[in-house]
Amino acid sequence: MWWGHASKCRCSTCVPLHHIQAEEIPMSTPSKLYGTNLALLTDLYQLTMASGYWKSGEAETEAIFNLFFRKHPFKGGYTIACGLSHVVDMMENFRFEDEDLEYLATLEGNNGERLFEEAFLAYLGEMKFECDVDAVPEGTVVFPHEPLLRLRGPLIQCQLLETAMLSVMNFQTLIATKASRVVLAAQGEPILEFGLRRAQGVDGGVSASRAAYVGGVAATSNVLAGKLFGIPVKGTHAHSWVMCFDSEMEAFEKYAEAMPNNCVFLVDTYDTIEGVKKAIEVGHKLREQGHEMVGVRLDSGDLAYLSIKARELLDEAGFPDAAIVASNNLDEHVITSLKQQGARISVWGVGTKLATAYDQPALGGVYKLSAIRRKGEETWQDRVKLSEQAIKVSNPGILQVRRFTRGKTHVADMIFDERDALAGDVTIVDPMDMTRRLRIEEGTVSTDLLEPIYRAGVLQHDELPDVHAARARAQEQLQHFHQGIKRFVHPHQYPVGLEKTLFDRKTRLILEARGFEH
């Protein structure tokens, strides 16, 4: 048990408090949060390229783009996809309003003349979203080079959506993954996300709370996120409450009078052990009044030693069920260390290092063109981006990801081109090392990860799964992967490769682009 009001929570650690049905809560979307569409949430070069496509007659050329990342964050072995719901909202509201066009009309080039022609701005004003979109559901465990999103549609539209999609997916995927790691470190004990005050601004705080919940935290201190997403909210009092009164005892007594059903006492304002003793005294008074002290919170000092002493005092005083909550710059590594030291902490409050992804503040996801088809053509033309760094060479084609399973364990992922007819055994090739190959036998159980979201600009779902479903998906999926990928140090490398036909095609395209005969 721990403290505070909870909206509907489906996690096994939550106590049955007052619940709000998720469908009763107005789900937040970027357009609702900001009161506007976000067509201008883009880099200027997207608009200058769009103008160039329009002027050169390429605007309606059909294109395929893939959004993916190249390396797991935090030197980890897996990543949790997150942010799709907000991306869909931006697509649903993708349009250039009059005020957007008026602003763009004021932009000037280096010669002082207007940057965008009036006819181009008129084109933007009439444009309607008409792309096909496929994506992995939120909460899916994903790996480098696998498309999280695939867009197919007019080149100009695919291009204009790039920056906003990357902004959302990069951040929320990063935070969901960090949260998942912290949750794994806690080994079943609830994690509370406390990061709002240290987050990178309002949107950073709100998005971080949402993504952290998808990653597995049990609750947040962020009340706005609780309202917007239906996430359980938790919290008690701060040091300032204790300091407002003449004594620590008086502060605890007054809080117990005000919030008898929410008493987790912050005990480290002056002396932690003495604070625990005072909390116990007030706890006895609460019990006499028919209430129960929920626990104590430690926010400084040697958390392992203090939690052990606090547990002894609480147990001896007849409070074996009182929680010991800990905070103070925690992350998965600190939590792991505290557990190794025998800490008796039962609830973990994780703030700054979770909400800011402190040790790696960016995912580094990218968005690359993989095929084009001009008007009147039947055949797609593959596109591949070259680089001096092998990891930056992109994959061509109409890409899909197939996950293979033996028994209850996922054993490999295959990136393949939907145009290729696959039959019999298949071989996957590591895109970073062509000597690393894996043969997968025909008949191995498999699932394709990218699912239809839009067709010709029409949303294919009445509503997408909410954060509770995404959270459950992440937790369920992790159970089906080898424990090695969940290690924090030198994790196992899960097999992900290009289907051999696709690998051979990519190799040919690279050789041709570099002037070598195939």
Side-chain angles (χ1 to χ4, degrees):
M1 175 183 287
W2 74 103
W3 69 99
H5 169 73
S7 53
K8 187 165 187 179
C9 178
R10 297 174 173 84
C11 67
S12 59
T13 56
C14 283
V15 297
L17 301 176
H18 296 294
H19 286 168
I20 300 174
Q21 295 297 319
E23 57 269 18
E24 295 174 359
I25 300 170
M27 294 294 104
S28 170
T29 58
S31 59
K32 291 179 181 177
L33 194 59
Y34 292 104
T36 182
N37 81 80
L38 299 176
L40 292 188
L41 184 64
T42 188
D43 295 303
L44 181 60
Y45 76 76
Q46 307 288 12
L47 284 159
T48 58
M49 285 191 292
S51 177
Y53 293 143
W54 170 79
K55 199 163 187 176
S56 63
E58 297 284 358
E60 303 301 319
T61 291
E62 198 172 6
I64 294 176
F65 282 80
N66 300 283
L67 188 153
F68 61 97
F69 61 93
R70 298 183 177 116
K71 292 182 179 179
H72 287 302
F74 317 114
K75 299 180 180 179
Y78 72 94
T79 298
I80 303 293
C82 189
L84 177 61
S85 291
H86 283 185
V87 167
V88 167
D89 174 74
M90 291 189 296
M91 291 175 177
E92 286 289 278
N93 293 279
F94 180 64
R95 61 186 178 278
F96 288 88
E97 308 281 7
D98 289 344
E99 61 186 39
D100 299 329
L101 301 175
E102 289 169 5
Y103 168 72
L104 293 177
T106 68
L107 301 183
E108 297 180 349
N110 290 336
N111 60 0
E113 297 181 2
R114 62 183 300 164
L115 191 60
F116 299 114
E117 296 181 25
E118 187 66 35
F120 169 65
L121 297 182
Y123 174 88
L124 292 183
E126 296 173 359
M127 188 169 60
K128 294 182 180 179
F129 180 64
E130 51 189 63
C131 295
D132 291 353
V133 181
D134 294 83
V136 301
E138 287 193 283
T140 299
V141 176
V142 291
F143 298 89
H145 306 290
E146 297 180 346
L148 309 188
L149 281 168
R150 185 185 74 200
L151 267 68
R152 170 177 171 175
L155 176 58
I156 191 170
Q157 294 188 19
C158 293
Q159 193 77 72
L160 286 170
L161 286 161
E162 174 180 2
T163 299
M165 291 191 303
L166 283 171
S167 176
V168 170
M169 294 293 293
N170 274 336
F171 182 69
Q172 292 198 33
T173 297
L174 182 75
I175 300 300
T177 305
K178 184 67 172 179
S180 177
R181 291 164 60 85
V182 172
V183 168
L184 285 176
Q187 299 175 18
E189 293 161 350
I191 300 293
L192 311 180
E193 182 269 311
F194 282 175
L196 178 58
R197 65 185 57 197
R198 301 271 175 78
Q200 278 92 346
V202 174
D203 182 64
V206 172
S207 295
S209 295
R210 180 186 188 278
Y213 187 69
V214 171
V217 306
T220 179
S221 66
N222 185 342
V223 181
L224 180 58
K227 173 191 173 185
L228 296 174
F229 308 123
I231 300 173
V233 293
K234 306 290 179 182
T236 178
H237 66 76
H239 295 103
S240 56
W241 174 269
V242 178
M243 296 163 64
C244 280
F245 296 91
D246 292 336
S247 70
E248 189 173 47
M249 178 64 78
E250 182 186 6
F252 290 172
E253 290 174 336
K254 292 295 185 183
Y255 191 78
E257 291 174 12
M259 303 287 291
N261 62 349
N262 191 46
C263 284
V264 173
F265 298 110
L266 182 56
V267 295
D268 73 326
T269 306
Y270 304 118
D271 181 287
T272 300
I273 299 303
E274 290 302 313
V276 174
K277 293 176 180 178
K278 293 182 177 66
I280 288 171
E281 288 187 50
V282 177
H284 282 301
K285 295 177 182 179
L286 274 169
R287 186 172 285 172
E288 292 171 0
Q289 298 166 10
H291 301 287
E292 196 67 20
M293 175 176 66
V294 179
V296 298
R297 177 180 162 209
L298 312 174
D299 190 49
S300 62
D302 186 333
L303 295 180
Y305 169 79
L306 292 172
S307 67
I308 293 169
K309 295 298 293 183
R311 186 75 273 156
E312 291 174 356
L313 290 169
L314 289 166
D315 290 352
E316 290 171 1
F319 294 96
D321 296 327
I324 296 177
V325 185
S327 51
N328 189 24
N329 288 322
L330 300 178
D331 63 10
E332 67 269 40
H333 304 293
V334 175
I335 291 173
T336 298
S337 176
L338 286 168
K339 282 188 162 292
Q340 291 170 346
Q341 297 170 60
R344 298 299 303 278
I345 296 161
S346 51
V347 179
W348 305 82
V350 185
T352 303
K353 292 187 176 181
L354 172 52
T356 66
Y358 194 82
D359 44 341
Q360 183 180 326
L363 176 64
V366 294
Y367 182 75
K368 298 300 178 184
L369 176 69
S370 61
I372 63 169
R373 183 167 64 180
R374 291 186 168 84
K375 188 174 181 178
E377 295 180 350
E378 294 185 4
T379 303
W380 286 94
Q381 300 176 32
D382 289 326
R383 290 291 185 265
V384 60
K385 173 193 174 296
L386 301 189
S387 172
E388 300 298 323
Q389 300 168 259
I391 197 171
K392 287 193 171 186
V393 177
S394 65
N395 296 318
I398 306 174
L399 303 180
Q400 172 64 278
V401 182
R402 182 164 293 172
R403 178 157 294 166
F404 294 95
T405 305
R406 295 194 185 102
K408 295 184 178 180
T409 303
H410 300 314
V411 295
D413 284 7
M414 175 178 73
I415 303 170
F416 68 99
D417 191 320
E418 289 187 342
R419 296 170 298 177
D420 294 329
L422 305 181
D425 297 353
V426 294
T427 299
I428 62 174
V429 184
D430 186 334
M432 297 299 101
D433 182 355
M434 66 177 294
T435 66
R436 289 170 56 92
R437 303 187 175 205
L438 178 65
R439 184 182 298 277
I440 301 169
E441 296 177 355
E442 182 179 11
T444 302
V445 174
S446 65
T447 302
D448 289 352
L449 299 189
L450 290 168
E451 300 179 357
I453 305 298
Y454 281 93
R455 287 296 178 263
V458 178
L459 188 62
Q460 300 298 290
H461 307 268
D462 292 335
E463 59 181 27
L464 295 177
D466 63 15
V467 289
H468 305 291
R471 181 179 186 271
R473 182 183 186 87
Q475 293 178 328
E476 190 273 336
Q477 286 215 347
L478 280 173
Q479 296 175 11
H480 298 288
F481 285 93
H482 187 277
Q483 282 295 116
I485 75 161
K486 306 169 198 176
R487 289 197 302 260
F488 298 149
V489 180
H490 302 305
H492 170 69
Q493 184 179 343
Y494 177 77
V496 177
L498 303 182
E499 186 272 324
K500 188 175 181 300
T501 305
L502 174 60
F503 177 82
D504 290 343
R505 184 183 305 130
K506 176 181 177 179
T507 302
R508 175 178 56 78
L509 289 168
I510 293 171
L511 292 173
E512 289 175 354
R514 288 180 170 161
F516 296 100
E517 294 185 6
H518 183 61

